[in-house]
Amino acid sequence: MKIVGGNPLIGEVSVRGAKNSVSKALVAALLTSEPCVLRNVPSISDVDIVCEMIRCSGGHAAISESGSVEICARELKPVSPDRWAGFARQSRIPILFCGPLLARIGAARIAPLGGDAIGPRPVDYHIAALQKFGATIEDQGSDGLLVSARRLTGCKIALDYPSVGATEQVLLTSVLAEGVTELSNAAIEPEIIDLIMLLQKMGATISVDTDRTITITGVMDLHGFRHTAMPDPLEVASWACAAVATGGSIFVGNARQIDLMAFLNKLRQMGGQFKVRDEGISFSRCQDSLRPVILETDVHPGFRTDWQQPFVVALTQAEGVSIVHETVYEDRFGYVSALNQMGAGIQLHRECLGSKRCRFGQRNHLHSAVIAGPSRLRGCDVSIPDLRAGFSYVIAALSAEGVSTVRNIGLIGRGYENFPQKLQALGARFEILMAENLDT
Ligand code: EPU
């Protein structure tokens, strides 16, 4: 994408279902043989991948133009290693197929997982949880792991860290397990609560305690569901940062305040302005100069790690020194070198520059950033390393003087629906070139 910078983004966009909620709701449909309907599904490549994985598992998944997906998994079948290998390294979702497949056909396979390159992203919590439910795990070398279980039994699980994926793994496995499961130190992100609501609609009994303990009472069968996916709080925050960084004004239709409270507080502290309406939230800059902030990413209800990258781009325009301590992923500042190439003044540190207890202190991870601003960004040639960083490069290019070339733009389509169309609606000046024409 060739981007001409220096123009504020002004106009309206709207968001649909959250990438990190929709994908899990689609997997939940495999827990029942009855038909399920998920509405408000965005047209992003992660949805296509999960629907294809459902088909490979013997289910039916049809996506309509209006954004409804009908899923029916009357019968499921084991997926052959070569079919599953086709999905290897594309997404983090395949591991979540274990619960439904174990409950219904007694076996599941785990191929090497994909997702963004933002740290090693181990799956040890998932494996330990599956073993507690009674599953056995066999390493089949290049074919991945074969997980099998004659029956699943409820158990007590305590997570070392409130992992979103491991919490979803336990939810999707426990609902059809025999007896009660108690998960402590669980993640309680809005996407998790949305999954719990959907499972409750299907007939599950799940309670969430004030101390992050989730208790699930297993049942024999679950029913189909009709569910409307929650709007994407990560996409909303991305557009909000784009408005503030470029000095523009964007109304984000369907944005929901409750999922964004920690973000909105920091945005206001920086000098970003927002107005909450019934139909969405509008974002703009409150005054010409932005203020620096100190922030630490955290699990919900803290400031989410996925808001960090676009927020840092906006902070390059703040007057003074900002500090961002990333406590969720050890390697989520990889994108910073490209921003510095564009003229930003960001230094990375191994120390925890914050007050939160963090797993990465003293372990050689560059997980704290000091951002000196305001910086005059200039157009550059950059290549997108991961989804959220990708959006951030585009915001940086739009805020910069001159023309930038942002490569590997296709990655953004994993999580942002109609991205070029939305940019166009906001008045961005850009051109999408085919790979072979990028250097012309
Ligand atoms: N972790 C472990 N062992 C495990 C699982 C996680 O050590 O078995 C660690 C991870 O390495 C990480 C931390 O726990 O340091 C948190 O990971 P978590 O499991 O919460 O992340 P995830 O489920 O793999 C989801 C989202 C991410 C989002 C995180 C945190 C999906 C598909 N992905 O990942 O979204 O950043 O939760 O909220 O839901 C994105 O959308 O750009 C994205 C990366």
Side-chain angles (χ1 to χ4, degrees), residues 19-20 24 92-93 116 118 121-126 161 163-165 234 305-306 328-330 332 359 387-388:
K19 162 177 108 47
N20 292 345
K24 325 301 168 57
R92 308 283 305 161
I93 308 303
D116 291 326
I118 49 182
R121 305 187 81 178
V123 288
D124 50 333
Y125 303 164
H126 294 250
Y161 184 78
S163 150
V164 169
L234 309 184
T305 171
D306 312 285
V328 181
Y329 289 110
E330 52 272 67
R332 217 170 188 180
R359 298 163 294 148
L387 177 64
R388 306 291 163 201

Side-chain angles (χ1 to χ4, degrees), residues 16-39:
R16 291 207 284 181
K19 162 177 108 47
N20 292 345
S21 169
V22 162
S23 43
K24 325 301 168 57
L26 293 172
V27 178
L30 299 184
L31 289 163
T32 176
S33 56
E34 293 182 15
C36 300
V37 179
L38 185 65
R39 299 196 195 89

Side-chain angles (χ1 to χ4, degrees), residues 200-260:
Q200 192 178 45
K201 282 184 190 173
M202 295 177 80
T205 303
I206 303 173
S207 63
V208 183
D209 221 326
T210 46
D211 64 353
R212 290 187 175 275
T213 300
I214 300 182
T215 308
I216 308 108
T217 307
V219 293
M220 294 289 286
D221 290 301
L222 291 167
H223 315 293
F225 63 78
R226 299 179 86 79
H227 189 72
T228 301
M230 59 172 278
D232 196 331
L234 309 184
E235 180 173 358
V236 176
S238 303
W239 291 117
C241 293
V244 172
T246 63
S249 159
I250 302 180
F251 174 73
V252 186
N254 303 327
R256 210 166 64 166
Q257 182 186 10
I258 188 155
D259 307 323
L260 287 150

Side-chain angles (χ1 to χ4, degrees), residues 29-30 32-35 58-60 71-77 104:
L30 299 184
T32 176
S33 56
E34 293 182 15
H60 161 90
I71 315 109
C72 189
R74 202 154 283 134
E75 276 173 29
L76 291 174
K77 58 175 191 210
R104 294 200 44 208

Side-chain angles (χ1 to χ4, degrees), residues 290-302:
L290 294 173
R291 291 182 292 270
V293 300
I294 294 181
L295 77 83
E296 297 181 80
T297 63
D298 207 345
V299 294
H300 184 79

